[in-house]
Amino acid sequence: MKTIVPFRFAILAATQLPFFAASPTVAPERVTYKRNADRDLLMTITKPPDWTAADRRPAIIFFYNGGWKEPGATKPQFEEQTRYFAARGMVVGQADYREKSREGPTSSKCVEDIFSGVRWLRRHAAELGVDPKRIAAVGGSGSIHLPAAALQADEIRPPGEDVSIDPLPGAMFLFNPDPDVLDPAMMRKLVAGGAAKPVRTVPPMVIYYGSRDAVAPFLDEFVAQAGQAGLPVEKFVGAGGVHGFFKFTPGLEQTVEHMDRRLCALGLLDNEPKAELPHKAAPPGYEERILATQQQWLERHKQLATERRPVPEAKPAQKPPAKPEPADKPAVVKGATDAASRLAGMLARFPEADANKDGVLTMEEAQAFRNKSKKVVRAASNEPGAAKPAAAVAAVS
């Protein structure tokens, strides 16, 4: 049994698709898709059996599963999925990226490398025989969920890279992504910002996980929140599946077929040629080993869930409280002009300027007082050794 929340915008055929045996694919080649100061990043390219450079084929890029612990371009991960989708006519990339736990980069650097991988495919689309508008991305655990969490992060701009090339794929397929291994604000930022003011158009996402996975309740919560925010996210829950259930039969066949249907529905994959679904038996004791380690994950996730806080809303700037007016200073009417404020201040210092003694200083009275004060100053300055009147000194100071 599996639980599927369908895309709002995709109408999928209810009939079963036939699958036939696949032809062997062309021998893969390995390329350097990015050079970093710490190390080069590799991508393995697998092409369909009838590939030509003049093609305009869909492409799919896989980012390895492994919690940022070791390079992934040479790891035998997603091999079954790679062979299947190459047989279905897609150009397939298998890429690695800098590992957070081994090399110490931040989550944003891991995202940066994944963005770079998608950009590399688009930049080399012509020589790879790829349609740059039909690129999907896949990953497991500590991988492709990173850009899913950072769709709002336009600040991620790799140095020396052409940022005019869109780094986002047309669809994302996320296998048991771990929402809590990221910078804590990133996943919340996606959910909080998705409906209100998205920086980019969010591509469709499918999240795959087993019902017995330790991250299942947290992913249930995330999918629900994403749906409320208006994001195009759906889930596929493998009944009885543990972490990594998609690697082996029957989860392997179920998830590959589901991906195939979604790609076709989104226009990212053609209906022909057909291919036989992959099969792979799990090694003895696989589920037992996974379940034995999940309790530790579960406790850590409970702790992180408790620590999570809502994204704080920006508070409007508040004006500082007004200073109380001196008791002997006339009150200034709210909304008064600067001239009125200056006149009121002058009246407080020189009440004698108020010629008619009505308690209000006018511009004419102020000017007359200034002129009178200047005359006093000039007269006093003409007398040798004479002291200047206090009022005159104050008026001109």
Side-chain angles (χ1 to χ4, degrees):
M1 294 295 292
K2 56 181 178 291
T3 301
I4 301 175
V5 179
F7 285 119
R8 294 183 175 88
F9 47 80
I11 301 176
L12 304 177
T15 58
Q16 293 293 319
L17 294 175
F19 292 92
F20 305 100
S23 303
T25 57
V26 178
E29 57 184 299
R30 191 164 296 155
V31 300
T32 298
Y33 77 87
K34 185 176 183 180
R35 298 187 184 278
N36 289 315
D38 36 20
R39 72 174 177 88
D40 292 346
L41 299 179
L42 303 177
M43 186 185 304
T44 302
I45 304 294
T46 304
K47 299 171 183 175
D50 55 348
W51 175 91
T52 69
D55 294 339
R56 295 275 291 179
R57 294 176 179 271
I60 189 166
I61 181 170
F62 288 86
F63 293 95
Y64 78 103
N65 169 38
W68 301 303
K69 292 181 181 177
E70 52 189 305
T74 58
K75 291 186 67 176
Q77 288 200 345
F78 295 113
E79 291 295 315
E80 302 298 330
Q81 292 90 339
T82 294
R83 282 191 288 268
Y84 173 82
F85 284 107
R88 284 282 280 119
M90 304 185 83
V91 173
V92 184
Q94 293 170 277
D96 69 347
Y97 51 90
R98 284 171 288 181
E99 299 80 41
K100 183 175 180 181
S101 60
R102 192 173 75 96
E103 298 167 350
T106 62
S107 295
S108 63
K109 291 298 182 183
C110 300
V111 178
E112 175 187 303
D113 292 342
I114 292 176
F115 284 178
S116 298
V118 176
R119 281 196 178 110
W120 188 91
L121 280 179
R122 285 203 168 102
R123 190 168 66 251
H124 296 272
E127 62 195 77
L128 293 171
V130 165
D131 181 352
K133 295 181 180 179
R134 294 198 293 166
I135 296 178
V138 186
S141 192
S143 57
I144 196 65
H145 65 295
L146 291 169
L151 294 181
Q152 309 295 318
D154 263 12
E155 65 270 17
I156 297 179
R157 294 176 176 270
E161 194 165 298
D162 185 357
V163 295
S164 68
I165 301 175
D166 190 358
L168 294 178
M172 294 182 183
F173 299 90
L174 322 181
F175 288 94
N176 46 248
D178 189 336
D180 287 322
V181 298
L182 300 174
D183 173 353
M186 293 175 75
M187 191 65 82
R188 297 200 305 271
K189 187 177 181 182
L190 170 67
V191 174
K197 192 177 180 181
V199 175
R200 297 181 179 276
T201 301
V202 180
M205 287 179 276
V206 185
I207 298 180
Y208 298 88
Y209 53 98
S211 62
R212 290 193 292 165
D213 194 324
V215 300
F218 307 100
L219 289 172
D220 283 337
E221 177 186 5
F222 169 69
V223 173
Q225 291 176 346
Q228 293 171 2
L231 299 175
V233 179
E234 69 168 291
K235 64 181 180 180
F236 179 109
V237 182
V242 298
H243 195 78
F245 83 104
F246 64 92
K247 299 177 184 178
F248 306 109
T249 300
L252 175 61
E253 296 93 310
Q254 293 171 351
T255 55
V256 165
E257 183 176 7
H258 188 266
M259 283 177 58
D260 191 299
R261 294 180 185 281
R262 289 297 184 265
L263 287 167
C264 289
L266 295 169
L268 299 175
L269 179 60
D270 302 326
N271 289 322
E272 299 291 342
K274 303 301 183 184
E276 183 179 359
L277 287 172
H279 303 273
K280 187 176 182 180
Y286 172 76
E287 286 197 0
E288 289 75 11
R289 290 198 302 273
I290 293 296
L291 291 172
T293 62
Q294 285 203 154
Q295 186 59 37
Q296 179 182 352
W297 299 351
L298 188 58
E299 293 303 321
R300 175 59 178 156
H301 278 284
K302 287 180 179 178
Q303 177 185 346
L304 289 169
T306 302
E307 294 171 357
R308 281 201 299 265
R309 297 290 184 271
V311 180
E313 295 182 1
K315 295 181 179 180
Q318 295 182 351
K319 294 181 179 180
K323 295 181 179 180
E325 298 288 348
D328 59 344
K329 184 177 180 180
V332 178
V333 178
K334 184 177 181 181
T337 64
D338 290 342
S341 299
R342 290 197 300 271
L343 289 169
M346 185 175 176
L347 179 63
R349 295 195 304 272
F350 310 111
E352 64 270 25
D354 181 14
N356 59 7
K357 308 302 179 185
D358 63 354
V360 178
L361 190 66
T362 65
M363 292 292 290
E364 290 76 11
E365 289 175 327
Q367 188 62 44
F369 179 74
R370 291 193 188 97
N371 292 338
K372 180 180 178 181
S373 299
K374 289 178 182 178
K375 290 178 182 179
V376 173
V377 170
R378 283 196 297 269
S381 62
N382 290 330
E383 297 180 9
K388 297 179 181 180
V393 174
V396 298
S397 60

